[in-house]
Amino acid sequence: MSSLIPLDNIGVEYKSHGQAPRKVLENLDLEIAAGEFISVCGQTGCGKSTMLRLILGAERPGTGRVLIEGRELPRPDRHRGYVPQKYSLFPNQTVLDNITFGPEMEEFGLWGRLLPRFRSRRKELRHDAMGYLRQMGLQDADAHKYPDQLSGGMKQRVAIAQALIMKPRILLMDEAFSALDPGTRAEMQRQVRHIWADTGTTILFVTHNISEALYLGSRVVVLGRDSPEGSSRVIFELNVPDSARNTSGYPLRDEMERLTRLIEGATDGGQREPETVELREV
Amino acid sequence: MLFRIDARPGRVATWTLSWILFAAGIVLYFHASGIRHADNPDDKVVPSLSQLGHGISDAFLKADADEQDSPDAANVSLARRFFNSMLWTDTVASAKRFGWSMLLLIPAVILGLHMGMFPLIGSFFLRFILFFDKIIALSVLPILFIAFGIDELSKIMLIVIGVTPTIILDTFNLTTGVPPEQIVKGFTLGANDFGVTYWIVLKQILPRVLNSIRLNLKAIMLFLFAGEMIASPDGLAFRIALLRRHMGMNVIIPCVLWVALLLYLVDLTMRVMNRRLHPWFREA
Ligand SMILES: Nc1ncnc2c1ncn2[C@@H]1O[C@H](COP(=O)(O)OP(=O)(O)OP(=O)(O)O)[C@@H](O)[C@H]1O
Ligand SMILES: [Mg+2]
């Protein structure tokens, strides 16, 4: 597999007023292959969102390089979809307009919306958007609401639709399911797995939940640090073996539980059992 | 009941409560006027109802005394007389200046937006505007009169100097306050720099910008009045300054209230407009 996104010896440092600069990430190496589904875990504040922002190009590393398909991309673009942890929706637009914003912007640019052609095209785009909305399990009646009339979980699902409609090559999701109830969460997980399988999009999915990470990802990456003040790097990687899933991709419970214990054990510095699964501790 | 945070007054109660202070003000005024007039029936300082009535009809229906060809009061309609009255011509003169100043706030908003969005433009202007903001507009009035003459331009420049820095800086702050996620999101959705600036950021801050302008209406009027009082052949402030010499309290009071009412209506219009245009905005 060719490496779509190599992260090479990445370091990130934040300076805050009156405090010594703090290294958040250091010596972070990660190779992301095209078409992978990578789940990123790690304690709160360990730099998961920072890593996503680096891949997006929203932030530049202090040391090291982030390459996307062999090039350093200095700013976010339409090929890298983003579902941020918060502030994902435009508060001044309805749900439907939030979803169609991307395609409209791309096709019509800054002033193209003033063209007469725009109105008929917008109808089609809205139709597409409704499709995504339903796929995300939202009601037609929600389409004309404003974001602050939605619950947290609904917002997250709209944000996913907003990113998906662009059909990005790389999709970066930051705790996108954190506000969902278990039932909706399971349904959304299924949807995202389907989308991944259907489109071959490379996905990075940040989550606190190890079983979610295992269920979704073809690989689980754990960020962590040695001491509370230390900086984070990849401390554990695990390729989720096909043997952990049944033929339709659903996880086998026993296998998942075993892997969960494995990750929890290894990342606590406790006992680990390097065996049949492809396991590489970094 | 009064000091319950969770009180939920009904419509009638809210409406009634909101008028009590107005009623009290009117009652107190006429009480005071009555006392003074009992001592001296010709008192002009706190005019009685009939004096005020004369004052109001003078202000609202009589043309400026200086004007030669004003239509004869007897044989023209009330509306014609109103539109020829000194108060109306002064209102129009002041409103024109006010309108120009409001128009000049549009470039101020655009500048603040660009300063907030584009760091290089921000660095270029910010320090200068921060300094410019500290210039007391009234202190440069003599310079303005010398530079622009004493007619319209210098009065509008006074407002520009007094108010635009505030609006620029306010817009700048609002712009930089938009969460970076929104900007990143805009790029990932295929918008370019201007797409993000106008379609995402400007649209989001617009209701707050309008609020900021609303809160600065008074400053605009203050500078407008200062300009008019010092050098102007017409305008509401000119009229009030003129009347002061005649001790025409019975005209001054209606004038002052008229200005307040107009400004209140402008504010109300902007509030309603803000709510209509931005139904998603919650704090108007
Ligand atoms: N702009 C910033 N300025 C200063 N420090 C920052 C900035 N952004 C992040 N940090 C710091 O970097 C660290 C990592 O932040 P990040 O948001 O990447 O964590 P995270 O792993 O996503 O956490 P969570 O799981 O809570 O979302 C935190 O300690 C945070 O304080
Ligand atoms: Mg985070």
Side-chain angles (χ1 to χ4, degrees), chain A residues 11-111:
Chain A
V12 172
E13 194 176 78
Y14 286 117
K15 297 182 184 68
S16 40
H17 277 289
Q19 283 173 15
R22 197 172 150 257
K23 282 207 173 82
V24 176
L25 299 174
E26 199 174 14
N27 301 327
L28 187 146
D29 294 297
L30 184 68
E31 301 260 317
I32 301 166
E36 265 195 295
F37 194 140
I38 295 190
S39 303
V40 182
C41 299
Q43 286 177 349
T44 179
C46 73
K48 304 181 296 295
S49 301
T50 306
M51 188 175 101
L52 286 198
R53 285 200 299 273
L54 290 172
I55 296 173
L56 265 173
E59 203 164 314
R60 272 172 240 184
T63 65
R65 288 201 305 172
V66 180
L67 298 182
I68 313 279
E69 293 170 324
R71 283 186 302 150
E72 233 171 332
L73 298 179
R75 53 157 51 183
D77 59 45
R78 57 97 55 236
H79 299 297
R80 283 167 287 173
Y82 184 36
V83 182
Q85 208 166 351
K86 51 183 182 178
Y87 302 122
S88 51
L89 299 178
F90 305 128
N92 57 322
Q93 299 180 4
T94 62
V95 165
L96 209 55
D97 290 339
N98 260 288
I99 302 177
T100 56
F101 181 87
E104 282 178 13
M105 205 68 211
E106 191 166 53
E107 275 184 51
F108 292 92
L110 203 52
W111 304 115

Side-chain angles (χ1 to χ4, degrees), chain A residues 128-196:
Chain A
D128 291 354
M130 287 306 287
Y132 281 93
L133 206 60
R134 291 188 196 116
Q135 189 182 8
M136 292 297 127
L138 290 163
Q139 311 292 313
D140 289 11
D142 299 327
H144 299 288
K145 288 185 179 156
Y146 286 98
D148 71 353
Q149 298 170 307
L150 302 178
S151 73
M154 287 157 95
K155 277 186 220 170
Q156 288 185 331
R157 286 180 281 165
V158 177
I160 296 171
Q162 189 187 32
L164 282 179
I165 200 170
M166 297 299 284
K167 302 192 170 62
R169 288 212 283 274
I170 302 165
L171 182 58
L172 305 154
M173 301 167 98
D174 201 343
E175 286 169 42
F177 300 159
S178 59
L180 302 181
D181 62 273
T184 315
R185 192 171 187 140
E187 173 54 31
M188 292 303 298
Q189 289 171 347
R190 255 194 301 281
Q191 289 283 359
V192 170
R193 279 286 297 190
H194 274 303
I195 290 160
W196 175 66

Side-chain angles (χ1 to χ4, degrees), chain A residues 214-215 240 244-245 251-260:
Chain A
L214 280 166
Y215 168 49
V240 182
R245 304 180 194 279
L252 303 171
R253 171 173 290 185
D254 291 350
E255 190 62 1
M256 286 293 164
E257 279 177 4
R258 193 179 65 82
L259 293 174
T260 305

